[in-house]
Structure formats: C-alpha cells, structure tokens
Amino acid sequence: MDERHSLIKNGIRAFTYMCDYFLILLLSSYFIKNTNEVIKLSKFFYYLMFGCALYSIYVLFSLHNPYSLLISKVYNVNDISGHFINRTRVAISSVITHPHKNGAFIAIAILIRFFFWVNKKNKWHFNLFQIFILVIMIISQLISNSRSVGWGMILGFVIFISLYKFKIKQKVVFFIVAICYLLLLNFATKLNLRYISEHFISKYYIIKSDNKNSDVDNFKLDNKTYENSGSTISMRTMQLKKSYELMKSDVWKGNGYRWLSENLGFDPLRNDFILEGGYYGFESFFYIVLIEFGIIGIIAYTLLFTAILVYNYNFIKYKNQASFFGICNISIFSYFFLIIILNGDPGIFTITTLFLSIYTKGATLSLQKINHLK
C-alpha cells in the first residue's frame, strides 16, 4: 500500500519486513529436537554475553572502544560507542556498540540465568565462578546506563517470580531483591562514570583517555531545541504529537515501511546524530508503528502481542517443564514490551522473538513427551 513504490517493489519490501521481524520465529526453533537443546542454546547465549560484559569492563577502564573505532574507520561511519563515551551522561558498550542495546542483550542473559537457576531440572548449578560471571554481567548492564532496560529487567523478574511455583517466603525474598536492584539502578544512572574511570581506574591501570565531555544530546522540534533527557513524560508527549502529525496523510495505513529511516534517518557520516528532518527520534515502538503503518499496524501488533501472551499463558496450567517455559516467555515478553514502549526498539526485537520461539518449542516438546509417556 506504500504510494512511494510500485506494486512489485512494495511486495519485495513487505517480504523483507516479514523476514527481518518474524522469520526468526520459525527458523530459531525448527531444528530443535529436545529440551536439552533449548538449555544448550540458552547457555551459549549467556556465555556469549559474558564475553561482551568483560569487554565492556575494559571499555569502562579505558574510556575507549577499539572495536567500535575500527568499525567506524573501516566503513567510514560514526563511532557510536565513542559518541556515548563522550556524552555528559556516559554510557558504556562492548562489541555491541550501542550501549542501550548492549545492556538490553545482557539483561536478557541475566534473566535467562535466573530462570534456569531456579528450575532444578536443567542441571545448570551455581558455584563461585558462576557468581563471578553474574556479578560482571550485572555491572555491565548497569554501566550501559539505560533506565528503560533496567526497569524492563526488573519487570520480567517480578513477572516470573509472581507466576512461578515459589513458596511465599521465597517470593518475598525475590521481591526484596527486585527492589534493591531498582535502587541500585537509580544510583548507577547518577554515577559519573568518567570520573570513576579517570580517578580510580585509569589512573592506576591504563593510560587516561583523551575523551572530553561534550554537550548533552539535543533534538529539535518546530525550530526549538530540547534536551534529549531520556525517559521523560514531556519528551514523549511531544513525540506523540509529532507522530500524529507525520501520519495524518494516511491515518489507516501510515506512510510505509522504513519511512522514518529513509526520510528522517540518521546520517552515519555526521557526528552530531541529528536527524535529517530536524527531529532526534521516536522513543516508543508504537509511535514508529503509527507513523509507518497507521491504525492498521497498531491493530496488527496489538493482536500479535496479545496472541503471544495468551498462547504462553495456556502453558501455565501444566505442572511440568511446559509451564516453566511458558512463564519464561511471559517474563521475557514483559521485559521486551516495557522497553519498546519506553525506548522504541533498540535492536532487541529479533533477539526477543528468538527466545520466545525457542522456549515455545521447549514447552511444546515437554507436552509431547508427557503425551508419549501416557
């Protein structure tokens, strides 16, 4: 329905969109044959993210990301990690060069580790080395400096402990842990990471970085400049108004796939991250859907997300691994949903659908095993 392109090209773009967002739902679980493979995939992702977490600690020590700098030079694009290091509100990344995306991936890994820790059937036990890994992961998630990711992780944690078969005392303990993490997150976002690095770490271990403070990011609307201060109500109110203005040309079907990135997208050769249309960005996934796909898109995604929740909620009634995997999916989806509502889609749609698909297959295989035994 996109008026910018021919019918054939629209079909190709629609197919590309389906592949980008939804093909992973099929492919990620198609070859899984038993629940042991689900556990192995979860472990693989967890230890992969531990590698990213270790690297982010190095970036914190040096205030320098050689990998991101190499990519920017090879492809002649902006050094994303360096941009966030140079901000007044420093945010640390790894080989996943955007700090908030890096923190989001690691937060999923932390949730997964908790899931399989409380479920004794998986034989993924805790020891001192496992505790060390988890501490590094938590530090890495905190220094990514994303409040929405931290809040999302806490929500996913709370949803899981609410639905899982814990005793009342265990639930109380876990709720206290969630509150403590929320306080820690609030404290971490106020830390001056540059000061910590230069005065307590780089001073003794690594040569200080030459990076200097830069102004906070700004965005423009109606020729006025506003501070890009993150998760604020006023900012999102302005963005809602702007999203409505941009979709008025066709309320029902929007402006078309990739309209924002093609018309208001980032110029990778510019260092100021200013959008071509004079607007910094849209901090809610549904604003983007509203602009590009209109009311039809909002309805479609609402139906999809509702179906995912209802489908996995039906697994809870089974008192076995199927129930466990269903609760894992509801927890991960809750985490994902809060982030995209607060912060758009920081590149986590694919990784989220990946695990939703894997754990749905795990639940299905668990039910098949029970029916076979019967």
Side-chain angles (χ1 to χ4, degrees):
M1 295 184 288
D2 194 331
E3 296 176 356
R4 296 173 297 164
H5 306 289
S6 66
L7 180 63
I8 294 176
K9 191 169 183 179
N10 277 339
I12 294 173
R13 288 164 65 84
F15 177 76
T16 302
Y17 180 80
M18 294 299 291
C19 291
D20 286 348
Y21 276 79
F22 304 112
L23 186 62
I24 195 72
L25 279 167
L26 172 65
L27 295 183
S28 57
S29 63
Y30 182 78
F31 296 101
I32 296 175
K33 301 303 179 184
N34 54 64
T35 54
N36 288 332
E37 293 182 358
V38 174
I39 297 170
K40 287 179 181 179
L41 284 170
S42 299
K43 288 183 176 180
F44 174 77
F45 175 73
Y46 181 75
Y47 290 119
L48 201 64
M49 290 304 100
F50 173 58
C52 290
L54 278 177
Y55 186 74
S56 71
I57 299 299
Y58 165 77
V59 175
L60 173 65
F61 281 11
S62 62
L63 289 180
H64 174 65
N65 190 336
Y67 175 81
S68 180
L69 187 60
L70 174 65
I71 294 299
S72 70
K73 289 182 178 179
V74 169
Y75 294 99
N76 192 30
V77 295
N78 189 34
D79 177 10
I80 297 175
S81 181
H83 167 78
F84 281 90
I85 290 172
N86 286 328
R87 296 193 315 170
T88 301
R89 181 186 165 203
V90 177
I92 303 298
S93 62
S94 66
V95 293
I96 302 173
T97 54
H98 195 294
H100 297 171
K101 183 178 180 180
N102 183 67
F105 274 50
I106 289 174
I108 293 176
I110 293 171
L111 282 173
I112 288 172
R113 189 64 185 95
F114 175 71
F115 299 159
F116 286 97
W117 171 60
V118 299
N119 185 268
K120 306 301 181 184
K121 295 180 180 180
N122 65 83
K123 298 180 181 179
W124 191 4
H125 302 300
F126 251 72
N127 52 36
L128 287 177
F129 181 64
Q130 291 292 325
I131 293 174
F132 167 75
I133 291 176
L134 187 58
V135 169
I136 295 296
M137 300 277 274
I138 290 173
I139 292 173
S140 181
Q141 192 278 313
L142 290 172
I143 63 178
S144 69
N145 224 337
S146 173
R147 287 165 291 192
S148 60
V149 169
W151 293 340
M153 192 177 78
I154 293 169
L155 177 62
F157 181 79
V158 169
I159 292 295
F160 184 87
I161 62 181
S162 300
L163 297 177
Y164 196 65
K165 52 184 179 182
F166 291 116
K167 296 179 180 178
I168 297 298
K169 290 183 179 180
Q170 290 175 312
K171 289 191 176 186
V172 170
V173 171
F174 286 135
F175 274 116
I176 292 174
V177 170
I179 293 171
C180 290
Y181 198 89
L182 182 62
L183 295 174
L184 182 62
L185 174 67
N186 184 60
F187 174 74
T189 54
K190 291 179 171 57
L191 284 176
N192 188 326
L193 295 180
R194 179 175 287 105
Y195 180 86
I196 292 173
S197 178
E198 292 182 350
H199 290 79
F200 294 98
I201 301 175
S202 301
K203 180 178 179 180
Y204 299 102
Y205 297 100
I206 299 175
I207 298 174
K208 291 183 180 180
S209 169
D210 292 330
N211 291 335
K212 296 181 181 180
N213 292 345
S214 64
D215 293 334
V216 296
D217 298 320
N218 297 316
F219 66 88
K220 296 179 180 179
L221 179 62
D222 299 330
N223 297 321
K224 296 181 181 179
T225 301
Y226 300 88
E227 182 181 341
N228 178 22
S229 55
S231 301
T232 61
I233 299 299
S234 59
M235 178 181 182
R236 277 154 180 77
T237 302
M238 285 188 289
Q239 290 183 348
L240 178 60
K241 293 178 180 177
K242 189 69 175 180
S243 64
Y244 175 71
E245 291 175 12
L246 293 175
M247 57 84 71
K248 279 193 301 186
S249 58
D250 198 322
V251 175
W252 285 102
K253 62 184 179 64
N255 295 290
Y257 174 44
R258 289 180 175 171
W259 186 89
L260 277 172
S261 60
E262 292 172 0
N263 291 276
L264 298 176
F266 290 115
D267 182 349
L269 301 180
R270 296 178 64 182
N271 293 324
D272 55 8
F273 276 81
I274 299 299
L275 291 171
E276 288 301 316
Y279 195 76
Y280 189 86
F282 291 89
E283 299 273 323
S284 177
F285 179 73
F286 280 100
Y287 293 171
I288 299 171
V289 173
L290 191 64
I291 294 168
E292 296 191 347
F293 302 107
I295 294 175
I296 292 176
I298 294 292
I299 294 172
Y301 271 104
T302 300
L303 291 173
L304 172 68
F305 292 158
T306 302
I308 289 173
L309 282 175
V310 172
Y311 186 78
N312 283 280
Y313 188 79
N314 288 332
F315 287 123
I316 297 179
K317 63 184 177 183
Y318 301 100
K319 305 300 180 183
N320 50 39
Q321 285 285 81
S323 175
F324 166 72
F325 287 125
I327 295 172
C328 288
N329 268 348
I330 294 173
S331 173
I332 290 175
F333 178 82
S334 301
Y335 156 82
F336 160 77
F337 188 75
L338 183 63
I339 291 176
I340 65 171
I341 288 296
L342 295 178
N343 203 33
D345 175 20
I348 65 169
F349 200 105
T350 301
I351 195 66
T352 304
T353 53
L354 170 76
F355 281 104
L356 290 175
S357 179
I358 290 172
Y359 293 150
T360 299
K361 186 64 175 288
T364 304
L365 290 170
S366 297
L367 290 181
Q368 289 175 353
K369 184 177 180 180
I370 293 173
N371 292 332
H372 178 72
L373 291 175
K374 289 180 178 179

